[in-house]
Amino acid sequence: MRALLVGYGKMGKAIGAALVQRGHDVAGRFGRGEILSFSSDLPACDVAFEFTAPDAAPRVVPFLLSKKIPVVSGTTGWDVTSAAHLAREQRIPFLHSSNFSLGVAALRRAVAAAAAALAPFPEFEPGIVERHHAAKKDAPSGTARVLALDISREPLSKRSVPIVSLRQGAQPGEHSVFFEGADETVELVHRARSRSIFAQGAVRAAEWMIVSGRSGPLTFDEFFDDLSLKGGAS
């Protein structure tokens, strides 16, 4: 697989390392503004990884899709609706996720199961605390929002899910989900120890996206569930 890295900050570099580790090639590296000024043909590639910023992604992703380049996007804090529409219209694969961690994907399923089990018991009140590095711009995180939705989708759950966001130091990411009762607490936690887990997940999702032959807008959940049901990892 030959890949373009669009946005070459910490995540872009981590993805580059993950690509090499899994036997792939980096066809090009671009800052978030450089790709839009590219007037000639882009380097031949199978996929582009877009990890830029909320103000850049709405311009960068449609540009890549317009060039018929499949995109794996990890930028949070922007509305992906128009990009998803373009991907569907052009039949170009576009996989966007707020979190590419396999552990977070498992956490989401555990949280949904806990929410369903505790829904008949109103004394268990849900809440989320998330911590990220000081440079992260969006708060709450995209992952925290998704976890809140996973809880609120339970038909018996009528309450909002409060989210507390902390931005400190170099914390790569931590999400704690609480179901707080009168005399007991159910707590589910995911802690990231490095950005490599997100890079590895993004690369593996791209591998699945290309091999599956699917087109249009895709999700990390589809990738995770597909491999989970098959009982094997790529």
Side-chain angles (χ1 to χ4, degrees), residues 120-152:
F121 308 99
E123 63 268 30
F124 284 91
E125 299 179 312
I128 298 171
V129 176
E130 57 99 352
R131 297 197 302 134
H132 284 83
H133 53 88
K136 185 173 177 63
K137 292 181 172 58
D138 57 322
S141 68
T143 301
R145 291 191 184 97
V146 169
L147 288 166
L149 285 174
D150 290 335
I151 296 169
S152 62

Side-chain angles (χ1 to χ4, degrees), residues 41-53:
D41 290 336
L42 291 167
C45 64
D46 302 299
V47 64
F49 291 88
E50 181 275 325
F51 284 76
T52 57

Side-chain angles (χ1 to χ4, degrees), residues 27 40 42 52 54 74-75 96 99 103 157 178 184 215:
S40 60
L42 291 167
T52 57
T75 302
H96 177 269
N99 194 302
S157 178
F178 300 89
E184 58 184 325
S215 62

